[in-house]
Amino acid sequence: MTEENDMAHEVAAETNGETHSGFVALIGPTNAGKSTLVNRLVGAKVSIVSHKVQTTRAIVRGIAIHGNAQIVFMDTPGIFKPRRRLDRAMVTSAWGGAKDADLIMLLIDSERGLRGDAEAILEGLKEVRQPKILLLNKIDRVKREDLLALAAAANEKIAFEQTFMISAENGSGCDDVMDYLAKTLPEGPWYYPEDQISDLPMRQLAAEITREKLFLRLHQELPYSSHVETEKWEERKDGSVRIEQVIYVERDSQKKITLGKGGETIKAISSASRKEIAEILEQPVHLFLFVKVRENWGDDPERFREMGLDFPR
């Protein structure tokens, strides 16, 4: 038995009785609120959130305990019509995550309904064998009769096991989702220690946090193709950590925007990111950001590996 399995059995034994565990893939169109929902269900930040479409690139796993169940949420990239190599890799990753899960949750933005990418996702789900549940998000912004009509329209296309009406923003309906998952996932030992909330390495999460701050600050000015990598991570004797990260952009004009006049923009991004990373690590952080131009980095296999994506040929 492996050390990981030993740990899982030890954790399971502590819950006194049968335990449930499983992987739940959360899929949906871009900007439907998937990352916000995963953070809400896990009870901590494991996936970055911004108004920019396609913010989540690779599958992020957030781990939640509910009663005697350990639920591993797979926050997948938004599914949309791909135009470039990076787009194709993200969409492939999302569908791959769905097919590897024990259960699939489709999240639909109630305001947008089934228009556009949602319609295509419903068609794609017909080919996926796993049980599926439907989550209608942002219900506080839509009339009840419209929600019921939307639920009926979606259920006509796919045989969902259950439909939930929720708000990822304020948590409405989320406890019902967790109750359902806890009793529906198969019996079995937990996959992760009880205090683990994500399988994302800390240096990668730190890079994602900086990317989030970058997008929040430069939502209109900077393409979503910008990328952040943690290049150095040094634990210091005084208990602090020194982190060096590189922000990759594709053109000199984007570098100037990222730096800002007199370095004002990059300082603001660094300050916001450093504060959040320090809160997660619970130790002082010295964060140094560098901006580099790398033309056509979206065609570089190494960048895809860094993001946890397969490089599409």
Side-chain angles (χ1 to χ4, degrees):
M1 185 178 290
T2 67
E3 183 178 339
E4 184 175 348
N5 283 337
D6 275 333
M7 189 175 295
H9 279 285
E10 287 174 13
V11 172
E14 292 173 4
T15 62
N16 300 320
E18 70 178 36
T19 57
H20 293 248
S21 60
F23 291 83
V24 178
L26 180 57
I27 69 169
T30 58
N31 267 12
K34 294 185 298 299
S35 295
T36 300
L37 180 59
V38 166
N39 292 340
R40 165 73 63 181
L41 297 178
V42 171
K45 185 166 188 168
V46 294
S47 191
I48 67 171
V49 178
S50 87
H51 298 299
K52 214 168 188 66
V53 296
Q54 295 112 43
T55 300
T56 300
R57 287 178 175 162
I59 292 175
V60 176
R61 292 181 179 88
I63 305 156
I65 306 296
H66 192 75
N68 65 345
Q70 186 178 72
I71 307 164
V72 185
F73 293 102
M74 303 160 68
D75 181 15
T76 63
I79 298 175
F80 58 104
K81 186 176 181 179
R83 295 181 179 82
R84 308 184 313 167
R85 180 174 268 129
L86 177 59
D87 298 341
R88 296 204 307 275
M90 288 161 58
V91 171
T92 299
S93 174
W95 281 116
K99 292 172 182 176
D100 289 340
D102 295 294
L103 185 146
I104 296 170
M105 298 196 306
L106 171 63
L107 186 68
I108 296 292
D109 181 333
S110 297
E111 287 188 300
R112 296 207 304 256
L114 301 184
R115 296 190 298 273
D117 294 327
E119 188 80 44
I121 294 170
L122 284 168
E123 285 300 314
L125 278 176
K126 292 177 181 178
E127 307 301 319
V128 180
R129 60 174 176 78
Q130 283 87 343
K132 309 161 192 71
I133 63 174
L134 173 66
L135 278 64
L136 300 182
N137 192 23
K138 305 179 184 178
I139 58 170
D140 49 323
R141 305 180 189 179
V142 180
K143 294 179 181 177
R144 179 171 174 77
E145 55 266 32
D146 293 335
L147 287 170
L148 294 174
L150 177 58
N155 277 274
E156 280 182 13
K157 297 177 180 297
I158 293 286
F160 290 103
E161 306 287 328
Q162 196 84 17
T163 297
F164 295 92
M165 299 187 183
I166 68 160
S167 169
E169 193 68 41
N170 65 32
S172 175
C174 290
D175 285 344
D176 294 335
V177 175
M178 294 295 281
D179 289 343
Y180 177 84
L181 295 176
K183 69 181 182 183
T184 303
L185 289 176
E187 284 186 36
W190 292 356
Y191 293 97
Y192 297 95
E194 188 171 2
D195 60 351
Q196 187 171 339
I197 62 170
S198 175
D199 70 345
L200 199 64
M202 193 57 230
R203 59 188 294 146
Q204 190 175 340
L205 178 58
E208 286 289 273
I209 288 169
T210 298
R211 188 163 67 92
E212 177 189 65
K213 305 311 176 194
L214 178 71
F215 284 169
L216 290 174
R217 179 83 184 191
L218 299 171
H219 174 51
Q220 300 294 337
E221 296 93 333
L222 204 63
Y224 87 94
S225 57
S226 306
H227 178 53
V228 180
E229 290 182 15
T230 300
E231 292 209 330
K232 291 185 179 179
W233 186 289
E234 178 190 353
E235 299 284 347
R236 304 176 70 173
K237 292 180 180 178
D238 62 2
S240 66
V241 59
R242 175 190 170 93
I243 304 171
E244 294 184 10
Q245 295 178 334
V246 177
I247 298 172
Y248 288 105
V249 295
E250 292 185 312
R251 294 190 295 275
D252 279 319
S253 60
Q254 295 169 3
K255 179 177 180 178
K256 291 177 182 176
I257 290 170
T258 306
L259 292 172
K261 187 176 180 180
E264 175 183 306
T265 302
I266 197 70
K267 287 176 185 174
I269 293 167
S270 178
S271 177
S273 181
R274 176 187 55 75
K275 181 180 179 182
E276 185 161 325
I277 295 170
E279 288 175 355
I280 293 173
L281 292 177
E282 297 182 341
Q283 65 187 116
V285 169
H286 307 281
L287 178 62
F288 299 88
L289 299 184
F290 306 91
V291 185
K292 294 183 181 180
V293 177
R294 178 168 284 168
E295 294 183 6
N296 302 318
W297 74 261
D299 294 322
D300 182 356
E302 182 60 33
R303 303 280 75 76
F304 281 71
R305 281 191 292 272
E306 185 70 26
M307 289 185 282
L309 293 170
D310 292 329
F311 185 74
R313 299 294 175 180

